[in-house]
Amino acid sequence: GRAVGLALVGNDMYVGYLKSGDIMKVPGALSPSISTSPVSSLVASTSDGKGVWALVFHGLDMYVAEIGGFGLSRIPDPAGVTRAACNVAAPCAASSLKPQISFFPGGLASDGVLLYVGDSPITVPGSVLQYDPTQPISVTNPVSYSVNVPAYTSKFNGVTQTQYVGIAGLALAPNGDLYVADDPTTHLIVVAPAVLPTQEGHLWKVGFSGIPLTVRSFA
């Protein structure tokens, strides 16, 4: 199935698959007392069964970057909704956001307050979006968090790039720095006998802006 997405919550690990769209749960995978390979089970899937690109938990909601054209989707925390928690007997299907904020999401990351989405269109450069799930989707939500990169020339086609191309992964450091992995060959279709170019990927760091955090709400 080609495992590509990984998300952690508590001691449990969730794994998403590129080809099947399955999301497997590995309960207790991070428990320090575990001594054998834990049992995994199918608990969820993408909205259309066409593949996972990335997973992330924001609170207890799982966000799924899908590759089938339905974009960013979500499996809500079972608390307060009319269904049981996702399990092997009743797997959950993710639901596409409406309105949608990215039809081609790449990497995902969360700081617990805001969600970061690597918007990765197939034919044009991408950007990192900053999305507040507690607020309505509008012209100001999400916002473009990071767009430009230092200019470089793609070795395989000689094109000068100044934006992200093919964002595949995002990660937030404890100090607030955002790391962005991209590769301009991500969406490249290679026909034999041609060979996919190598050494074209990058890992970029977007330094934390230093703006003081503010309390948005109490619960």
Side-chain angles (χ1 to χ4, degrees):
R2 192 176 296 172
V4 293
L6 183 68
L8 306 173
V9 59
N11 283 328
D12 299 334
M13 179 169 64
Y14 293 79
V15 184
Y17 291 84
L18 180 69
K19 292 194 173 183
S20 65
D22 292 342
I23 298 172
M24 307 292 288
K25 179 180 181 180
V26 188
L30 305 184
S31 173
S33 62
I34 197 165
S35 59
T36 59
S37 297
V39 177
S40 63
S41 58
L42 173 66
V43 295
S45 66
T46 55
S47 63
D48 59 0
K50 290 187 177 179
V52 173
W53 190 256
L55 302 174
V56 74
F57 275 94
H58 184 77
L60 291 180
D61 293 344
M62 177 188 282
Y63 284 84
V64 183
E66 300 194 18
I67 65 171
F70 284 87
L72 185 64
S73 62
R74 181 174 74 104
I75 299 175
D77 173 9
V81 299
T82 55
R83 66 162 174 80
C86 304
N87 60 76
V88 65
C92 298
S95 298
S96 182
L97 296 189
K98 296 180 180 179
Q100 185 56 256
I101 65 172
S102 173
F103 286 103
F104 297 97
L108 300 173
S110 169
D111 62 10
V113 177
L114 299 169
L115 190 67
Y116 296 81
V117 181
D119 187 37
S120 185
I122 294 177
T123 58
V124 296
S127 64
V128 178
L129 306 177
Q130 188 184 62
Y131 169 54
D132 184 348
T134 67
Q135 301 300 316
I137 295 174
S138 65
V139 294
T140 58
N141 185 42
V143 297
S144 181
Y145 181 76
S146 182
V147 178
N148 295 323
V149 300
Y152 70 93
T153 300
S154 298
K155 296 177 183 178
F156 72 96
N157 61 6
V159 174
T160 299
Q161 309 285 1
T162 58
Q163 290 183 230
Y164 299 109
V165 181
I167 297 174
L170 298 180
L172 278 165
N175 68 347
D177 290 346
L178 178 70
Y179 289 84
V180 184
D182 79 342
D183 185 340
T185 68
T186 296
H187 300 300
L188 191 65
I189 297 175
V190 177
V191 179
V195 178
L196 184 69
T198 59
Q199 298 182 333
E200 293 293 313
H202 311 87
L203 180 61
W204 309 99
K205 183 177 80 170
V206 183
F208 180 57
S209 63
I211 299 172
L213 300 179
T214 59
V215 176
R216 300 176 66 94
S217 64
F218 290 94

